Amino acid sequence: MLQFILKRLMLAAIVALTVSFISFSLMFLSGDPAAALAGETASGEDIEAIRTLYGFDRPMLVQYWEWLGSALTGDLGQSYYFKLPVASLIADRLGVTMTLGLCGITFALLTAVPLGVAAAIRPNSFIDRLSLFMSVAGQAMPSFWFGLILIVVFSIKFGMLPPSGASTWKHFIMPTIVLGYYAMPAIMRLTRAGMLDVLSSDYIRTARAKGASEVRVLFKHGLRNAIIPVVSLAAVQMGFMLGGSIVVESIFALHGAGFLAWESIGRNDLPTVQALILVFAMFYIVFTFLADVLNAWLDPRMRSS
Amino acid sequence: MTEPLLNVRNLKLDIPVASGTLHAVRGIDFDLKRGETLCIVGESGSGKSLTSLALMGLLGKRIVRKADQMTFDGTELTTMSAKELRKLRGGRMSMIFQEPMTSLNPAYTIGDQLMEALLLHKPVGREAARARAIELLEKVGITAAESRLGQYPHQLSGGLRQRVMIAMALMCGPELIIADEPTTALDVTIQAQILRLLVDLIREMNMAMILITHDLGVVARVADKVAVMYAGELVETGPAADIFAKPCHPYTRGLLRCIPLPGKTERGSELGTIPGIVPSLVGEVSGCVFRTRCDYAADACRNAIPRHTEGAHTFRCIHPDGMRHAEEVPA
């Protein structure tokens, strides 16, 4: 198991390095950074001056090395727009995004897994059809529209929940539902399919033949095996929720990291965009790593491979 | 005579299918005393496995089970509550399946799965369960039993897994073991070993066994009683010695012709086959089910078929001796 974890860690480090290089190159792929910094009215000399000032004239690998070195010590550069260190800018905004992401995935898992299991126990029953309807609706409904509907109903009509902001836990209820509902269908369908497959397997029959109770058969012997692919999916969804909550953050005016990314792209604030891409990618890597470890714990066959 | 351990009368299993009802098992009777081995033989699809699952109460929800009587040690199984049945399953009667590769849960260690079988039924501690697991692993011929407890199924070969399955079935010291083709999925070299092991253990522990197989060679070695199943009916039942010495039903004789006997079957001579396939069992089934493949079929085979009984030996055929005289080689 320890060997497995070390192997995965090394793999994660390699992926992280690759991602950091790609996100660094973005600065150059998106045009001349010196020209972007200098603004539209700048003369050629101004641009050259800025180029030397920021060191854009040096070889790209040298710049990358320097950038990586400072990134590792927590220095992600200065925001062009805010004139503040990017690291502290992101740190300020990340709390909201993390809270939202964690709430979203928890909501998705807590609704999708039980529904998926229930649907698998009684295929084609009312609950199965209901869950299918919910997942189709969830997949078809754009989150900005669903978010607005929630605001209309719960904030405007009933006045139960605040429509925007992030100051209390109440502010997070609707964003959590919108974000979580988006991730729910895939988790639910995968749980259902996995559970159906597992429940028709021979070892489930063995468990019944041993005299195990139905609850034990379903959860100890069944769900443990059916949940393995769901773990990997949830990790990817979680990464997506942190980086991709831009729409939800804008609807509910939650000024998180997603919102910051959206703003910074509009302002051509490259160091901030670059750093955000790096941070979101690191989250993906961390969650994938955690999912791998969890899966290896759940499924002994993965440990040896 | 003592009360039989297992007594089954008129067991019927129906499966609803798109085109009607599939009468998979149609009114079979058999019984089994403590310590006896009953072999149920027949082709694939004859209803052998379904019958064993019906005894264990492990049929799918779709299959309808009906029986005039189905008692285990005097208790009726058909009217038993789910909870009482669970106590019986794995405790007093246990089952060994055909597929050792997939019958163990991949997520748990051998030790966990063995111990679970005991802990579900007996109020013993984990230490005692562990000791019992080691004892049984040694009994089924697994070396380094203690270190095996921490291994996962995927680390074991098919033969080893089936040994583990046998050990698991024995954990509670059951009175009845149902083994559904326990060696079919294994290498030929392992088959004999596993079977010998199973039979030795059954004798040693004085358990009753229902062995489902289509290998008549195996039957000849281990059976006290034989039940020949064809298309959901028991066409011939009786003590093993009688069945092999005087096989009456044409189907039984057909099966026996399919196995070569060293010394008896001439080198180069053709092995017997039974032409044709098992008839469809959807809808009403009447008369003799074997008539479409039988050499001696007559018009009367479409009607009700009489049962001929001689002691414990029973068969169903319109011919008083199943036309056995026609095949006997004059001495």
Side-chain angles (χ1 to χ4, degrees):
Chain A
M1 187 75 182
L2 192 70
Q3 202 188 355
F4 172 85
I5 292 177
L6 287 176
K7 255 190 203 164
R8 287 292 143 140
L9 264 180
M10 262 174 54
L11 200 68
I14 294 170
V15 175
L17 207 64
T18 315
V19 168
S20 75
F21 184 74
I22 293 171
S23 83
F24 175 79
S25 326
L26 276 183
M27 174 107 83
F28 295 88
L29 289 175
S30 59
D32 184 355
L37 256 180
E40 279 169 30
T41 56
S43 67
E45 279 147 43
D46 291 343
I47 294 176
E48 282 315 307
I50 284 173
R51 198 187 301 285
T52 349
L53 181 69
Y54 283 86
F56 291 138
D57 51 348
R58 294 171 303 157
M60 193 175 152
L61 271 179
V62 175
Q63 292 184 52
Y64 170 65
W65 187 248
E66 209 168 65
W67 177 80
L68 186 67
S70 46
L72 284 176
T73 58
D75 175 12
L76 292 165
Q78 289 272 323
S79 160
Y80 295 162
Y81 179 83
F82 292 100
K83 312 289 181 210
L84 283 169
V86 173
S88 65
L89 204 61
I90 294 178
D92 280 350
R93 303 290 193 95
L94 214 53
V96 170
T97 302
M98 291 274 279
T99 312
L100 184 56
L102 285 174
C103 290
I105 196 76
T106 309
F107 173 78
L109 285 172
L110 285 183
T111 49
V113 172
L115 270 175
V117 170
I121 295 172
R122 299 203 192 291
N124 299 321
S125 64
F126 171 73
I127 189 111
D128 187 20
R129 281 166 207 281
L130 180 75
S131 72
L132 179 65
F133 171 77
M134 282 175 72
S135 62
V136 169
Q139 230 138 30
M141 204 157 43
S143 27
F144 67 86
W145 185 78
F146 184 45
L148 290 176
I149 294 291
L150 286 186
I151 290 178
V152 168
V153 175
F154 292 100
S155 303
I156 298 171
K157 193 150 172 75
F158 295 111
M160 285 156 69
L161 294 167
S164 65
S167 37
T168 66
W169 61 270
K170 278 189 175 171
H171 289 93
F172 282 95
I173 293 178
M174 287 193 295
T176 294
I177 292 173
V178 174
L179 196 60
Y181 194 38
Y182 188 75
M184 210 176 85
I187 296 176
M188 184 156 65
R189 299 310 285 175
L190 196 63
T191 306
R192 179 186 183 271
M195 203 63 185
L196 271 179
D197 189 43
V198 165
L199 286 182
S200 64
S201 68
D202 292 333
Y203 57 82
I204 289 296
R205 191 180 58 188
T206 306
R208 290 208 170 101
K210 271 188 202 176
S213 67
E214 206 50 25
V215 171
R216 194 181 175 88
V217 167
L218 285 178
F219 293 96
K220 185 174 181 219
H221 291 277
L223 191 59
R224 163 100 184 228
N225 284 291
I227 206 76
I228 292 165
V230 177
V231 170
S232 312
L233 176 70
V236 176
Q237 300 250 24
M238 177 77 205
F240 173 79
M241 281 185 182
L242 290 178
S245 59
I246 299 175
V247 174
V248 175
E249 286 185 17
S250 330
I251 300 169
F252 295 98
L254 293 166
H255 287 202
F259 193 66
L260 179 66
W262 181 67
E263 283 177 317
S264 302
I265 292 166
R267 293 174 187 138
N268 244 333
D269 190 352
L270 273 173
T272 313
V273 175
Q274 203 177 41
L276 279 167
I277 290 171
L278 192 65
V279 169
F280 290 146
M282 290 307 143
F283 275 122
Y284 260 103
I285 292 167
V286 169
F287 286 120
T288 313
F289 168 72
L290 289 179
D292 281 349
V293 173
L294 184 58
N295 267 346
W297 176 72
L298 285 169
D299 185 355
R301 284 166 298 185
M302 283 189 204
R303 282 171 228 166
S304 44
S305 60
Chain B
M1 220 177 98
T2 51
E3 171 83 2
L5 179 64
L6 188 71
N7 198 348
V8 177
R9 291 288 166 264
N10 202 19
L11 173 67
K12 290 178 180 167
L13 300 173
D14 290 338
I15 310 171
V17 290
S19 51
T21 304
L22 181 98
H23 302 284
V25 171
R26 294 183 310 286
I28 62 171
D29 307 323
F30 59 90
D31 49 60
L32 189 64
K33 290 204 253 319
R34 286 177 192 279
E36 260 185 347
T37 295
L38 164 72
C39 284
I40 303 182
V41 290
E43 290 166 77
S44 307
S46 59
K48 299 171 302 199
S49 294
L50 276 180
T51 303
S52 61
L53 290 173
L55 290 174
M56 290 288 286
L58 289 174
L59 292 168
K61 284 178 197 134
R62 286 174 54 240
I63 303 176
V64 183
R65 180 181 69 177
K66 273 180 256 164
D68 293 348
Q69 190 188 2
M70 199 164 94
T71 54
F72 177 81
D73 197 19
T75 324
E76 182 60 46
L77 293 171
T78 45
T79 53
M80 210 175 235
S81 75
K83 205 177 161 193
E84 286 173 307
L85 193 61
R86 269 209 305 278
K87 273 193 201 153
L88 217 59
R89 279 206 294 254
R92 297 181 63 195
M93 55 199 266
S94 52
M95 188 156 177
I96 300 163
F97 297 100
Q98 195 176 343
E99 305 86 1
M101 299 311 280
T102 50
S103 289
L104 288 163
N105 192 325
Y108 295 99
T109 60
I110 302 304
D112 275 344
Q113 298 187 57
L114 282 167
M115 283 155 67
E116 183 184 28
L118 186 67
L119 293 170
L120 281 170
H121 296 282
K122 304 261 161 89
V124 297
R126 287 189 68 81
E127 274 314 303
R130 207 181 126 83
R132 173 78 174 159
I134 295 171
E135 180 198 333
L136 278 171
L137 283 184
E138 279 166 358
K139 239 190 176 103
V140 297
I142 292 182
T143 51
E146 199 161 358
S147 65
R148 297 278 185 194
L149 291 183
Q151 287 192 319
Y152 289 94
H154 73 275
Q155 294 167 308
L156 306 181
S157 67
L160 275 181
R161 288 188 210 185
Q162 195 63 307
R163 284 172 198 265
V164 171
M165 287 298 293
I166 293 173
M168 199 151 83
L170 298 175
M171 280 300 277
C172 292
E175 291 147 69
L176 172 68
I177 291 259
I178 301 173
D180 183 3
E181 304 201 28
T183 61
T184 307
L186 302 174
D187 278 350
V188 181
T189 48
I190 308 290
Q191 285 185 0
Q193 275 181 31
I194 295 282
L195 199 74
R196 172 145 314 165
L197 172 80
L198 189 60
V199 170
D200 287 348
L201 287 170
I202 298 293
R203 297 223 168 111
E204 186 189 322
M205 299 181 172
N206 195 29
M207 287 178 283
M209 174 162 77
I210 297 178
L211 178 66
I212 292 172
T213 179
H214 47 232
D215 186 341
L216 282 166
V218 166
V219 178
R221 274 180 286 159
V222 306
D224 296 312
K225 281 183 182 172
V226 178
V228 180
M229 198 155 185
Y230 180 77
E233 285 173 15
L234 289 182
V235 293
E236 184 162 7
T237 55
D242 286 5
I243 300 276
F244 281 96
K246 267 174 59 184
C248 288
H249 197 279
Y251 180 64
T252 312
R253 290 203 304 277
L255 281 182
L256 285 169
R257 270 199 304 274
C258 296
I259 43 168
L261 295 172
K264 254 189 169 175
T265 310
E266 264 178 59
R267 186 171 277 276
S269 69
E270 249 179 66
L271 267 182
T273 52
I274 306 174
I277 50 160
V278 181
S280 160
L281 299 176
V282 178
E284 276 311 306
V285 181
S286 62
C288 175
V289 274
F290 188 57
R291 67 174 184 269
T292 51
R293 299 168 76 184
C294 184
D295 292 341
Y296 312 108
D299 281 345
C301 294
R302 293 173 192 282
N303 307 326
I305 306 299
R307 186 191 291 269
H308 306 284
T309 305
E310 192 187 322
H313 187 175
T314 304
F315 68 100
R316 297 175 71 179
C317 187
I318 54 154
H319 307 291
D321 70 342
M323 293 300 280
R324 206 160 65 83
H325 64 270
E327 287 172 31
E328 259 168 12
V329 191

